[in-house]
Amino acid sequence: MTDPSPRRIGLEWLQLRASNLVLLASAPFFIYLFATSTNYSRSLAFIVGVEEGAAEVFQTFLVLLLGLLSGLIPILLTRKSPSWLSYPREVSWFGLVLHLLLMSWLLTRWDLAPFWDSVIGDLLDARSNPFRDPKVNYPALTPEGQAWMQGWLEILRWPYLLGTTLLGAVALTKKLPERINRWIWRLLLIFQGGSLLFLILVARLSFATGLLLTLRAAIFAYVASAILGLVLAGMLSLQPNPNIYRRYGVIAGLLLGIGLIFSQMPQAQYVLIGTIEGRAAFIKDTPQRLADTLRYGEFDNGVEMQIRAARDVEQALKLYAEDKRISAAFIPESALPAKAPILWRTEFLADEYRTPSMVFGVFGFLLGLLTFGGWQHRMHPLAVFAEFYIDILRGIPMLVIILYVGLPLSGAVKQATDGFIDLPNMIRGVFAICLGYSAYMAEIFRAGIEAVPKGQVEAARTLGLDRWQTARLVILPQALRIVIPPLGNEFIAMLKDTALLSILSVRDSTQRMREFQASSFLPFAPFNTAAILYVVLTLAAASLLKWLERRTTPIPKK
């Protein structure tokens, strides 16, 4: 019988498909193109995000990355290593020695000023922090800031080196009780792992700001959408019990009742006084919908009026009395001056009552609908919600989701919280991609869960495992192994869709490509460079996922 899998070329850990071999063979041409063409080399530098001091920052980053990895990963894997990642025990000791040598070399011999400029300078506010240099348009520390960082480095470097090395050696020997060893691993995970995650996922690195922004957006969105997709898949598998509809119906009724109580609160009474020839003074915190009513003349016998914002009632009346351009004022009826002509009288529910009334009412109505739908089809109400979410989100284009979440929804959240929650554009875009792709992720996880034989679930229940233990120990390990290939495809698709974040002015590789093309007027070089960059990224991701798939596929017994 012939092997149906495609023929691969190369070592076991670096097997190449024929299509990849063609791309690899053409790599020298692209290297020659970027090395000899000024237009292409400039395009690549700008799109990747190479900034001043990039070479020094890259060297520091490389040594720091190797030092942290060598000191953390082998020690953690000694405690609990998956079956597909086995290695000799001596590698852990080699990693610990390498960590000590690299970090000692870096912290005692290197000039870290460019690294502080790029990483620490980006975290400081240029307008208020005295350690941030306001004279340049890129992150940089003042001489006082550099001296402050160097002082902390002098204090912390030797305790850090000796502490991490000693803890790592103790953890590798395993001579102490298990409880103490567990705490040592947690400390190493917090200090070394936290530093590693900050360096890879958060720190601003001036040798590849645009490229790292693209990769980080894809990674954050992928992790968040996978978690949300897994939650939705779990909701789809919920089974109803006889009391679930009564319980959810009561909750829906309570929510509707609370919304009704808020809607019956006393209403505010306002009047529009004056004439319609000029502008209308409008108090700042009055609901926006009333400002629109005045602006478009949608009141009794009204005409379109221009609005002049006022800080409070006193300022609105002062503008009405003294400013000749202001002919009207929209004020509470309780502050109505004597003999003032009334153009329009209205009453409305204040936002402090209207917003909770609408929120409780909408959630109560939605929960009631889900309960009724579940009762009709003998499904759990949360399973009906998961189906509704998946059907809706899969039907909306990703660009529309990004625009909706990034502009009106984020603006509404900012307004509702009085500016307390004002998310950066990067987080808005990641949240939007997470919402969109979680619908696809949920279907993938559902397929993987349903592929696990029912007999294994029944056997787990027979052994006394509860529902959570059955899911964690029996279903999810097998389901995740099954869905690795489609999850890999979703990551590649998500990596490309991060280009849509440029619509929110996120300065990823695509936005940088547009900026460079607009400033240089080059017709092809920026677009070709961005396309090649994305191809390289997706091929690297596909190769990594293929390697992971091969390592996690169980070898059939002969």
Side-chain angles (χ1 to χ4, degrees):
M1 184 175 178
T2 57
D3 184 4
S5 60
R7 188 176 180 182
R8 301 176 191 282
I9 302 169
L11 301 174
E12 189 276 335
W13 56 274
L14 189 63
Q15 293 183 342
L16 296 175
R17 293 181 297 179
S19 58
N20 288 358
L21 189 63
V22 174
L23 292 171
L24 189 63
S26 60
F29 166 74
F30 293 116
I31 294 173
Y32 175 78
L33 180 67
F34 286 110
T36 56
S37 170
T38 306
N39 291 339
Y40 277 90
S41 60
R42 286 170 55 220
S43 299
L44 182 63
F46 195 88
I47 292 172
V48 170
V50 180
E51 300 177 351
E52 188 167 338
E56 293 84 357
V57 174
F58 178 70
Q59 294 168 13
T60 305
F61 165 80
L62 205 56
V63 176
L64 186 57
L65 181 68
L66 289 175
L68 291 172
L69 283 174
S70 59
L72 178 69
I73 303 299
I75 295 173
L76 290 181
L77 291 181
T78 301
R79 175 178 171 77
K80 190 173 183 180
S81 176
S83 58
W84 50 270
L85 190 60
S86 58
Y87 63 96
R89 181 177 173 80
E90 290 75 15
V91 173
S92 295
W93 285 105
F94 174 75
L96 187 62
V97 174
L98 185 63
H99 162 75
L100 180 61
L101 293 176
L102 287 175
M103 297 303 287
S104 302
W105 183 40
L106 178 68
L107 298 179
T108 58
R109 299 294 182 185
W110 283 54
D111 177 17
L112 299 178
F115 189 75
W116 301 141
D117 280 338
S118 180
V119 177
I120 305 300
D122 183 60
L123 300 176
L124 305 179
D125 188 358
R127 292 169 295 184
S128 60
N129 197 296
F131 292 159
R132 169 74 184 269
D133 191 351
K135 299 176 184 175
V136 294
N137 57 1
Y138 54 85
L141 294 179
T142 58
E144 293 79 12
Q146 289 287 354
W148 181 74
M149 287 300 304
Q150 188 62 31
W152 277 106
L153 180 65
E154 295 286 343
I155 295 172
L156 295 177
R157 60 183 173 190
W158 287 114
Y160 166 77
L161 287 171
L162 296 176
T164 54
T165 306
L166 184 61
L167 288 176
V170 171
L172 288 180
T173 56
K174 296 184 177 179
K175 298 295 184 183
L176 295 178
E178 175 61 22
R179 185 169 59 86
I180 299 178
N181 270 334
R182 195 180 302 123
W183 277 106
I184 290 175
W185 268 298
R186 287 174 183 170
L187 282 174
L188 287 173
L189 190 62
I190 291 172
F191 287 107
Q192 302 273 64
S195 303
L196 191 62
L197 287 178
F198 174 79
L199 184 68
I200 296 174
L201 298 178
V202 180
R204 184 181 187 279
L205 302 170
S206 61
F207 59 85
T209 52
L211 178 63
L212 288 175
L213 198 60
T214 298
L215 291 174
R216 288 167 177 172
I219 291 172
F220 281 123
Y222 184 78
V223 172
S225 61
I227 294 172
L228 184 55
L230 201 54
V231 171
L232 290 170
M235 292 166 67
L236 284 171
S237 64
L238 291 175
Q239 297 297 323
N241 59 50
N243 296 323
I244 196 69
Y245 306 116
R246 187 182 307 116
R247 195 179 307 155
Y248 276 72
V250 170
I251 296 174
L254 286 175
L255 292 176
L256 288 172
I258 295 173
L260 185 62
I261 291 173
F262 275 107
S263 69
Q264 299 304 312
M265 290 291 152
Q267 296 197 345
Q269 297 178 340
Y270 271 60
V271 292
L272 178 65
I273 61 174
T275 62
I276 57 176
E277 285 78 15
R279 298 181 179 181
F282 192 85
I283 300 173
K284 188 177 179 182
D285 293 332
T286 310
Q288 179 63 32
R289 61 184 183 280
L290 293 169
D292 294 337
T293 301
L294 296 183
R295 186 176 289 115
Y296 300 115
E298 296 174 348
F299 54 93
D300 299 338
N301 301 321
V303 296
E304 294 185 0
M305 301 182 71
Q306 294 183 353
I307 301 297
R308 168 71 163 84
R311 184 178 58 256
D312 49 24
V313 176
E314 288 74 18
Q315 189 184 21
L317 291 174
K318 185 178 180 181
L319 289 171
Y320 170 67
E322 300 177 0
D323 194 333
K324 295 181 179 179
R325 296 171 298 179
I326 308 297
S327 66
F330 189 65
I331 58 174
E333 190 167 1
S334 58
L336 179 65
K339 300 181 180 179
I342 299 177
L343 294 174
W344 178 47
R345 177 181 278 109
T346 186
E347 57 183 16
F348 58 88
L349 195 62
D351 282 347
E352 58 182 343
Y353 301 128
R354 185 172 181 266
T355 301
S357 171
M358 292 181 63
V359 170
F360 282 108
V362 168
F363 276 98
F365 181 70
L366 179 61
L367 187 57
L369 278 181
L370 296 176
T371 306
F372 179 74
W375 175 71
Q376 284 283 315
H377 296 273
R378 291 296 161 193
M379 293 174 61
H380 197 287
L382 293 181
V384 180
F385 169 76
E387 274 192 1
F388 170 77
Y389 178 92
I390 292 169
D391 291 341
I392 293 297
L393 269 294
R394 284 194 307 182
I396 304 175
M398 185 56 66
L399 181 59
V400 176
I401 297 176
I402 291 174
L403 286 173
Y404 182 78
V405 174
L407 299 177
L409 185 60
S410 299
V413 171
K414 180 182 177 182
Q415 185 178 2
T417 58
D418 199 19
F420 180 73
I421 300 178
D422 185 14
L423 301 176
N425 288 339
M426 166 78 171
I427 296 180
R428 298 180 187 188
V430 169
F431 184 60
I433 293 179
C434 162
L435 291 180
Y437 270 92
S438 62
Y440 300 95
M441 293 279 203
E443 285 295 281
I444 292 173
F445 285 126
R446 182 187 61 79
I449 291 172
E450 292 183 353
V452 177
K454 300 292 183 187
Q456 296 196 20
V457 179
E458 295 170 358
R461 296 288 177 84
T462 305
L463 291 172
L465 300 182
D466 59 22
R467 186 168 183 161
W468 166 243
Q469 290 174 325
T470 304
R472 186 169 62 88
L473 301 176
V474 178
I475 298 176
L476 286 181
Q478 299 181 74
L480 292 178
R481 184 177 294 167
I482 293 170
V483 301
I484 283 178
L487 286 180
N489 288 335
E490 290 300 307
F491 179 75
I492 292 173
M494 200 177 295
L495 183 61
K496 292 187 295 181
D497 273 353
T498 55
L500 298 174
L501 299 185
S502 61
I503 202 71
L504 299 179
S505 299
V506 175
R507 294 197 75 210
D508 67 334
S509 297
T510 304
Q511 176 67 10
R512 285 176 167 271
M513 175 201 71
R514 294 169 59 183
E515 292 175 3
F516 184 76
Q517 197 280 329
S519 61
S520 65
F521 300 105
L522 291 173
F524 293 111
F527 298 101
N528 290 340
T529 303
I532 293 170
L533 186 62
Y534 276 104
V535 168
V536 171
L537 290 178
T538 53
L539 281 179
S543 299
L544 178 63
L545 293 166
K546 209 66 182 176
W547 172 82
L548 184 63
E549 183 184 347
R550 284 199 303 269
R551 298 291 295 183
T552 55
T553 301
I555 302 173
K557 296 180 180 179
K558 295 182 179 179

